Amino acid sequence: MARPVLRTELCDRLGIEYPIILAGMGPVAGVGAPVATADLAAAVSNAGGLGVLGGVAYSPDALRAEIQKVRSLTDKPFGVDLLLSPNFLVPRGKSSGKGTRAPRPAQKLPEEHLRAVRKIADDLGIPWKEAPREMESTAAGSWIPEGQSYAGAQMEVVIEQEVPVFASGLGSPEPFAKVLKAHGVPIISLVGTVRAAKQVAAGGADFVVAQGTEAGGHTGRIGTLALLPQVMDAVAPVPTIAAGGIASGRALAGAIAMGAVGGWVGSAFLVSEEANQPDLQKQRILDAEAEDTVVTRLYSGKTMRNISNPLIEAWESSGLHALPMGLQGALIRDLQYSIAEAGRNELLMNAAGQTAGMLKTLRPAKEIMADMVGEAAEILGRDLAARVTASV
Ligand SMILES: Cc1cc2nc3c(=O)[nH]c(=O)nc-3n(C[C@H](O)[C@H](O)[C@H](O)COP(=O)(O)O)c2cc1C
């Protein structure tokens, strides 16, 4: 059977067959490596989309190895996603000679928060255990070379490895735009507000991803249907890609009909065979209804959509304000470690979007791609003409 045709400007600019990009999803708790590793990224690229590695938690050496692994699995274009939060751009601490080591974050954490987190663990019957020192988040800066910043050290690898596409999930690409453009690397920047959209477009983004609140992981407050046209108007002629709630050809077709050049898709690929997350977390997504996700600052300090669980409920009812990104992760590090040690994996982070309610089968990424492309091509190529009468 002939392959369906579904092309937009995005395909021409990135050298891909279909306007679908795998969201560069980072790690969920309990797994060191990201959800979007080389296996998933390569599977999406091989199926005609753009696979994007979730690069945020990799050290430069690990990132280099994972990029090389993608190349061993596909000869198609792919991307790397990093977070360019200002927290990650500032060089940290003084060099010890071997590299920069941030102070143990627990030293800076408010007593009230530490006590509250211990109480939540007690209330949930979780024996308290301190996480080993070597498990400190990479965000604490343990591997940052002298004179470097967190994202800067990763970016050197992106350039050195001639990664075909760069994506930033947070922050403006401005500090790196010049060097990326000099190397001919297109920049994709994710935003959840019109203000951020204007910032990243001014900062050098070649494509802006308008991510609505439906999305899994870090997310904003505006729905995709409301955000997409506002971002398009704010950044034109820079093209906009839609994200948040795109887990079907129907949603992709809708976004393209609205003027998006493609879809940036996360949750739908969380239930792919290649997604790197524990079976329990995949199963909880497969079992979920659309109402089963909540937005919480528990895990990172920033608003993040997750499948709800009693730990999130306890945090939300504690009345505590979350700490800033970086510190909040440090605050709950021992708690998450204790949960994992106690085998209470149902309490671990399980980021997923509102489309969880329609994700009912675990499949290879290739099938997810084929269904999405087939359905969108059918709608845009045939159904619309049969269902809609319109003229101007
Ligand atoms: C488990 C998970 C991890 C994520 N990690 C990242 C990340 O590291 N960087 C990033 O840019 N976006 C990340 N996101 C957000 C996605 O990039 C994307 O915007 C979102 O999944 C799109 O909405 P959808 O889930 O409805 O498809 C993550 C999302 C999930 C579900």
Side-chain angles (χ1 to χ4, degrees):
M1 223 175 84
R3 280 172 79 79
V5 176
L6 185 69
R7 285 196 80 79
T8 69
E9 173 192 351
L10 184 72
C11 304
D12 302 328
R13 299 256 311 256
L14 301 185
I16 56 179
E17 186 180 4
Y18 297 124
I20 296 175
I21 306 181
L22 164 69
M25 292 180 284
V28 292
V31 186
V35 172
T37 56
D39 289 334
L40 180 54
V44 170
S45 288
N46 281 332
L50 184 82
V52 177
L53 277 178
V56 58
Y58 283 128
S59 70
D61 286 346
L63 182 59
R64 183 180 295 107
E66 203 64 18
I67 291 168
Q68 287 167 353
K69 186 169 176 199
V70 179
R71 283 218 160 90
S72 74
L73 297 171
T74 184
D75 57 2
K76 301 275 189 335
F78 64 95
V80 168
D81 177 278
L82 300 176
L83 300 187
L84 305 180
S85 157
N87 300 4
F88 298 168
L89 294 174
V90 184
R92 289 163 185 270
K94 287 229 164 73
S95 170
S96 61
K98 284 194 269 150
T100 305
R101 179 168 281 281
R104 188 166 168 78
Q107 291 165 0
K108 295 182 270 179
L109 300 171
E111 272 306 316
E112 183 198 1
H113 282 71
L114 287 167
R115 269 199 308 275
V117 166
R118 284 292 288 266
K119 179 169 181 326
I120 288 173
D122 286 348
D123 291 348
L124 292 171
I126 302 159
W128 191 258
K129 291 204 173 150
E130 262 201 25
R133 177 92 192 242
E134 60 273 17
M135 278 188 60
E136 278 177 17
S137 155
T138 49
S142 54
W143 49 260
I144 299 173
E146 185 170 5
Q148 266 285 19
S149 70
Y150 182 87
Q154 293 168 317
M155 192 64 84
E156 284 197 352
V157 177
V158 168
I159 300 292
E160 163 212 299
Q161 291 294 308
E162 299 177 6
V163 168
V165 179
F166 171 71
S168 70
L170 199 62
S172 168
E174 197 270 329
F176 303 106
K178 209 165 148 196
V179 64
L180 285 165
K181 284 178 195 298
H183 286 82
V185 183
I187 303 171
I188 299 175
S189 284
L190 190 74
V191 300
T193 64
V194 173
R195 192 166 63 97
K198 287 180 182 162
Q199 268 169 9
V200 301
D206 298 299
F207 299 90
V208 176
V209 180
Q211 188 219 45
T213 187
E214 297 93 319
H218 287 130
T219 193
R221 287 188 296 163
I222 322 288
T224 306
L225 208 57
L227 184 67
L228 182 58
Q230 295 186 62
V231 167
M232 284 169 50
D233 287 349
V235 303
V238 175
T240 303
I241 298 164
I246 300 183
S248 64
R250 281 167 287 171
L252 178 64
I256 292 174
M258 286 173 70
V261 293
W264 168 273
V265 178
S267 294
F269 289 113
L270 287 176
V271 290
S272 64
E273 286 172 4
E274 295 89 344
N276 180 42
Q277 57 172 350
D279 289 345
L280 176 73
Q281 277 147 309
K282 290 186 184 180
Q283 194 56 49
R284 283 168 60 84
I285 296 168
L286 293 169
D287 293 342
E289 305 290 338
E291 294 87 353
D292 289 343
T293 68
V294 287
V295 173
T296 179
R297 292 182 189 267
L298 165 67
Y299 293 108
S300 72
K302 283 194 176 293
T303 48
M304 180 189 279
R305 188 177 294 284
N306 277 264
I307 303 287
S308 189
N309 67 46
L311 176 66
I312 297 176
E313 287 164 20
W315 168 265
E316 292 300 324
S317 54
S318 73
L320 283 175
H321 289 294
L323 301 176
M325 198 172 194
L327 280 188
Q328 181 71 13
L331 172 70
I332 63 159
R333 185 167 306 127
D334 291 342
L335 175 63
Q336 303 234 65
Y337 180 73
S338 304
I339 289 170
E341 285 289 291
R344 301 279 302 274
N345 291 348
E346 79 281 6
L347 299 178
L348 287 174
M349 183 203 284
N350 204 167
Q354 292 178 332
T355 55
M358 62 188 285
L359 302 173
K360 296 297 168 207
T361 21
L362 184 71
R363 296 180 295 168
K366 188 178 161 186
E367 279 182 26
I368 297 170
M369 279 287 299
D371 271 9
M372 211 179 283
V373 167
E375 193 177 47
E378 212 169 287
I379 292 169
L380 294 169
R382 195 186 61 201
D383 287 8
L384 273 185
R387 284 193 291 120
V388 183
T389 306
S391 66
V392 283

